[in-house]
Amino acid sequence: MTVDETIIGAPARKYKEMGRIERFLGHDTYRILRNLLRNPISVLGLVLLGLFVLIALAAPVLAPVKEGQDPYRIPRDGYGAVPQPPGTVWKTRQPPIPFWWKYVMPADKENQWIHIMGTASGQWDIWYGVIWGTRTALQVGLLITAVGAIAGIALGAISAYYGGVVDMVIMRIADVFMAFPFTLAAMTLSAVLTPVLGKGILAPMVALMAFSWTGFARLLRSDILSVREREYVLAARVTGVKDGRILFRHVLPNAIFPTLVLGSMRIGSYVITFAGLSFLGIGAEVGYADWGQLLSFARDWMTNLSTYWYIVVYPGVTLILFVLAWNLVGDALRDVLDPRLQGSR
Amino acid sequence: MLNYIIRRLLMVPLLLFGVTVLIFAMLQALSPVERSALYVRDIPKNDQALQGIIKRYGLDQPIYVQYWRWLVGFKDPQSGEIRGGILRGDFGYSRTASQPVGDLLARRFPATLEMALLAVLPVVAGGIFLGVIGAVYHNKPLDHIVRIFGIIGWSLPDFVFGLLLLMAFYAATGWFPPGRISDWADQVINSPVFHSYTKLNVLDALLNLRFDVFWDALRHLVLPVITLAYLWWALTLRVTRSSMLETLRQDYIVTARAKGLSERVVIRKHALPNGLMPVVTLSGNTVVGLLSGVVIVETVFNYPGIGMAAARAAVNLDVITVLAFVLLNGLILVLANLVVDILYAYIDPRVRLD
């Protein structure tokens, strides 16, 4: 497709032909994707993320549970207090063996389901916790970010759009919410909400959401305020476009990218905070498929951690990789989208 | 300048008011019975006595009356003594620690302060150093190493890092134990010949010339301090690096280089003072962040500071204690931000103008 601009009086210039994909995605999205895929760091992040999504989707195949059982409740092999090392054979209440097991094990052992990653104290199976915990982590991270970002975007847009007293009030409320360190605020609100919402992952999730909107609101507000002064907004106003249409068609689409980047960069830290609360014993019940909850078992074995290393290493490394994946993608996304950084790298 | 400070000062009461309102709002989620822990040590079991307590302390009064009483305390109609009142430092009674919350925080505070003070210098100095290295050697191998170091630190959950450290340096080697002090050293500290001047064990041991106690206290602090430091290094180095990169692109740096100054002078005299401005803001946050980030770190290392007490209270839903702790943190944060902002306006004239 070539565009001849002589019609509007500009010198004739041939644009580089747009590819099929580029036309389908739109130029900006295409450029962002292309830059992301060119950067080895972000590719590593994307691959890791893809892996986690696959694990989450394949959880029922990787770690099948008995029919009718809550998969987020980690199956346990008895009630013994001492952790069992990886490779120990399931003894009691063994969940079904996954179909792929016979392909990876020699024939004489294919009917034997083992604790692939060992068990924690109380004989909770770490493999099940890690696999199903991937679903928990994805859900928790995405939900908290989505709610926080949507609330923040709404409040930020209202604040910037109306200005004056409304802006004052919303921003001062944001200041108050930001006067508390995030982890502490989340911990406190979870403790307050737990009697209301019941013991479980809901209370810490709501608590994290309640304190996550401030960053988004502030960022979007300041970006809208700067975009609002651009010439094309003025042009739209001069031509008589209605306020609502200006906000949604001209201002928001141009101001929202940094906020979305912030979202991708925050997911990792929300998952860390959530896991940290579980680690302290707030939120996820004992035996819930959550990495932080699994890690809290390590607190009972401080002096023997070198013997029972698998309680820390498997869920811990999984959590680190998960957060790393999000951070790598977020970091690269920021570099791609932040025009100030372009040309300097 | 004065104008700016005045405007900034005017914000403080407003913020403090907001902070107390938010905390008080969370208190309202508790039942009046639970809230009576604000004023009485033992909550009675039988119904009649409960109703008496609720009446006596006005826990069924309108919200604004309760808020005021919570803020300044009020005279007990029966005994005549003044009860409650966070402004008087009376935060109620801690169920989990079986003592007044104020006493609990005061008793546990030196331990936390000791840890935070030891961490703050390595955090700020190390973070700035690494950030400057990254910016000066931009896109060279050294920069990449610094970046990877930062991104890992940023992705490392503090409790996982702490547990891994414990695994390697305590469980496997026995070098750096968890806790605050060994039993024998604790006995020395509590003995009459040992003077606790500051309640900070490391310092007191030095002042008493007990180097064995000093070494023991220090040994317990190594791992928590490393854990705290690494996480904040990541942040400080990111901010320093990007701000220095920005500064190094400025015209006056080109000028400085063009007039033949050595690279050392350009960086030390021209780039650093400007590039470190955002770090000033961050350092204020770091001090506060260290004080609050201790909740998880203290729990991991079994270190008896206010963070661990707060975590224990939160797990046991002892909301009165947690709220007092968070309120304290909120107040410190508001005041620290005030100090940092004024400091910032002092060193950076551009801020004063808008």
Side-chain angles (χ1 to χ4, degrees):
Chain A
M1 184 178 73
T2 52
V3 179
D4 193 343
E5 289 195 342
T6 43
I7 313 161
I8 50 171
R13 188 156 56 118
K14 280 187 180 163
Y15 279 102
K16 210 178 94 197
E17 195 163 325
M18 278 169 112
R20 254 246 246 30
I21 309 168
E22 188 172 358
R23 233 177 304 151
F24 177 71
L25 291 171
H27 178 69
D28 281 340
T29 323
Y30 177 76
R31 185 182 60 85
I32 292 164
L33 266 180
R34 194 189 54 193
N35 283 338
L36 275 186
L37 292 176
R38 273 189 187 164
N39 182 344
I41 289 183
S42 67
V43 170
L44 178 68
L46 286 173
V47 168
L48 274 174
L49 264 191
L51 215 64
F52 276 112
V53 171
L54 274 183
I55 291 175
L57 288 176
V61 180
L62 291 172
V65 288
K66 277 202 194 93
E67 197 81 26
Q69 211 168 52
D70 177 10
Y72 291 100
R73 188 103 197 119
I74 303 174
R76 60 198 296 195
D77 188 357
Y79 299 93
V82 182
Q84 303 294 320
T88 317
V89 179
W90 270 91
K91 287 177 218 71
T92 53
R93 295 188 294 175
Q94 177 203 319
I97 301 176
F99 76 89
W100 47 268
W101 190 240
K102 57 175 181 273
Y103 302 113
V104 293
M105 292 304 275
D108 59 320
K109 289 199 176 148
E110 68 174 44
N111 287 323
Q112 223 173 45
W113 191 211
I114 59 169
H115 298 293
I116 295 181
M117 293 179 171
T119 63
S121 23
Q123 304 313 313
W124 307 95
D125 184 278
I126 297 176
W127 168 256
Y128 277 82
V130 167
I131 297 291
W132 288 92
T134 310
R135 281 197 175 190
T136 310
L138 275 173
Q139 285 167 358
V140 163
L142 292 174
L143 258 176
I144 293 172
T145 313
V147 172
I150 290 172
I153 287 171
L155 287 167
I158 291 173
S159 198
Y161 184 74
Y162 288 103
V165 181
V166 177
D167 182 31
M168 230 310 266
V169 170
I170 292 181
M171 284 302 118
R172 290 298 84 79
I173 292 177
D175 283 346
V176 169
F177 274 72
M178 283 172 126
F180 299 100
F182 187 65
T183 313
L184 283 189
M187 178 181 91
T188 311
L189 193 54
S190 315
V192 171
L193 287 176
T194 301
V196 184
L197 299 173
K199 173 102 178 130
I201 62 167
L202 195 60
M205 274 175 76
V206 173
L208 281 165
M209 287 168 187
F211 280 91
S212 61
W213 62 274
T214 50
F216 299 105
R218 276 195 161 187
L219 186 63
L220 184 73
R221 173 181 170 274
S222 70
D223 282 331
I224 288 183
L225 288 182
S226 89
V227 167
R228 209 173 56 175
E229 306 299 323
R230 304 266 167 86
E231 282 88 353
Y232 54 81
V233 176
L234 189 66
R237 198 163 285 155
V238 168
T239 45
V241 181
K242 287 208 183 73
D243 276 3
R245 194 178 157 81
I246 291 181
L247 180 65
F248 285 108
R249 292 293 302 227
H250 299 272
V251 177
L252 259 186
N254 286 299
I256 209 161
F257 260 129
T259 312
L260 296 182
V261 175
L262 183 70
S264 73
M265 293 176 59
R266 283 284 178 83
I267 293 181
S269 62
Y270 292 153
V271 171
I272 289 186
T273 310
F274 180 84
L277 293 182
S278 300
F279 172 77
L280 291 179
I282 302 162
E285 294 156 73
V286 177
Y288 192 86
D290 174 80
W291 300 331
Q293 189 278 132
L294 271 180
L295 282 161
S296 72
F297 286 115
R299 284 165 63 190
D300 307 337
W301 304 99
M302 218 79 112
T303 39
N304 324 66
L305 275 184
S306 44
T307 320
Y308 306 128
W309 54 271
Y310 40 88
I311 316 180
V312 176
V313 170
Y314 288 125
V317 169
T318 318
L319 176 59
I320 293 173
L321 288 179
F322 185 83
V323 176
L324 189 67
W326 280 109
N327 286 352
L328 290 177
V329 173
D331 206 43
L333 209 57
R334 190 195 51 170
D335 283 1
V336 171
L337 291 172
D338 189 345
R340 279 185 313 169
L341 290 170
Q342 268 166 28
S344 70
R345 5 183 332 121
Chain B
M1 178 73 184
L2 197 65
N3 229 329
Y4 174 82
I5 293 179
I6 289 172
R7 255 188 305 151
R8 190 63 189 73
L9 275 176
L10 282 178
M11 285 276 302
V12 172
L14 200 67
L15 263 179
L16 290 182
F17 174 69
V19 166
T20 54
V21 166
L22 191 61
I23 294 283
F24 187 71
M26 289 201 236
L27 262 179
Q28 296 307 305
L30 299 180
S31 68
V33 177
E34 288 171 297
R35 264 183 283 135
S36 63
L38 284 171
Y39 305 108
V40 286
R41 182 185 290 269
D42 301 305
I43 301 175
K45 292 285 184 290
N46 80 57
D47 260 3
Q48 194 134 38
L50 272 180
Q51 289 312 317
I53 295 257
I54 290 173
K55 267 242 127 28
R56 182 167 158 194
Y57 294 102
L59 295 166
D60 51 356
Q61 299 265 331
I63 292 267
Y64 55 89
V65 176
Q66 287 194 44
Y67 173 75
W68 185 247
R69 287 185 170 178
W70 174 70
L71 210 58
V72 299
F74 77 112
K75 206 182 228 163
D76 191 322
Q78 284 173 27
S79 61
E81 53 186 322
I82 297 175
R83 296 287 189 98
I86 54 165
L87 291 181
R88 295 175 50 241
D90 187 343
F91 298 96
Y93 290 94
S94 167
R95 179 157 52 79
T96 43
S98 326
Q99 58 184 310
V101 178
D103 291 0
L104 171 74
L105 294 181
R107 206 165 45 84
R108 292 282 192 108
F109 187 69
T112 302
L113 185 70
E114 186 171 21
M115 186 197 280
L117 280 180
L118 271 177
V120 81
L121 197 69
V123 167
V124 175
I128 290 178
F129 178 73
L130 290 172
V132 171
I133 292 276
V136 170
Y137 296 96
H138 185 46
N139 277 343
K140 304 248 169 58
L142 213 52
D143 179 31
H144 291 308
I145 292 173
V146 167
R147 273 193 87 171
I148 291 170
F149 180 82
I151 216 165
I152 291 178
W154 183 37
S155 309
L156 215 53
D158 36 12
F159 57 102
V160 177
F161 186 52
L163 287 172
L164 291 174
L165 285 180
L166 270 178
M167 204 165 96
F169 298 107
Y170 171 58
T173 58
W175 292 346
F176 304 115
R180 189 179 181 203
I181 197 104
S182 303
D183 288 341
W184 66 266
D186 196 37
Q187 280 172 9
V188 173
I189 288 173
N190 287 322
S191 65
V193 287
F194 191 93
H195 300 285
S196 292
Y197 302 103
T198 57
K199 301 263 186 222
L200 309 178
N201 288 345
V202 173
L203 210 59
D204 283 342
L206 277 184
L207 292 174
N208 284 284
L209 299 177
R210 286 297 302 252
F211 295 108
D212 50 343
V213 177
F214 168 74
W215 173 236
D216 186 74
L218 206 59
R219 236 160 60 113
H220 286 84
L221 278 163
V222 169
L223 295 186
V225 164
I226 291 179
T227 311
L228 278 175
Y230 189 22
L231 302 175
W232 285 90
W233 269 337
L235 195 66
T236 318
L237 96 83
R238 276 169 73 90
V239 173
T240 313
R241 179 176 170 277
S242 64
S243 146
M244 276 298 280
L245 276 179
E246 186 92 25
T247 311
L248 285 172
R249 270 205 293 278
Q250 302 294 323
D251 289 340
Y252 60 81
I253 298 294
V254 179
T255 313
R257 281 192 184 131
K259 69 184 181 192
L261 294 181
S262 70
E263 194 61 24
R264 252 173 84 112
V265 175
V266 170
I267 286 166
R268 285 213 182 146
K269 292 266 149 91
H270 294 245
L272 261 185
N274 290 299
L276 289 187
M277 297 254 175
V279 184
V280 173
T281 314
L282 190 71
S283 305
N285 286 344
T286 310
V287 178
V288 181
L290 286 176
L291 276 178
S292 63
V294 293
V295 172
I296 283 178
V297 173
E298 280 181 4
T299 308
V300 172
F301 292 101
N302 225 344
Y303 187 88
I306 49 174
M308 198 166 103
R312 212 177 122 213
V315 173
N316 292 304
L317 305 182
D318 175 7
V319 176
I320 302 274
T321 310
V322 189
L323 283 181
F325 175 68
V326 173
L327 182 67
L328 209 65
N329 266 285
L331 297 184
I332 296 177
L333 194 67
V334 169
L335 295 180
N337 279 340
L338 175 76
V339 173
V340 164
D341 278 358
I342 291 178
L343 200 67
Y344 200 79
Y346 181 72
I347 57 175
D348 186 355
R350 282 170 299 183
V351 177
R352 278 174 253 161
L353 293 176
D354 46 57

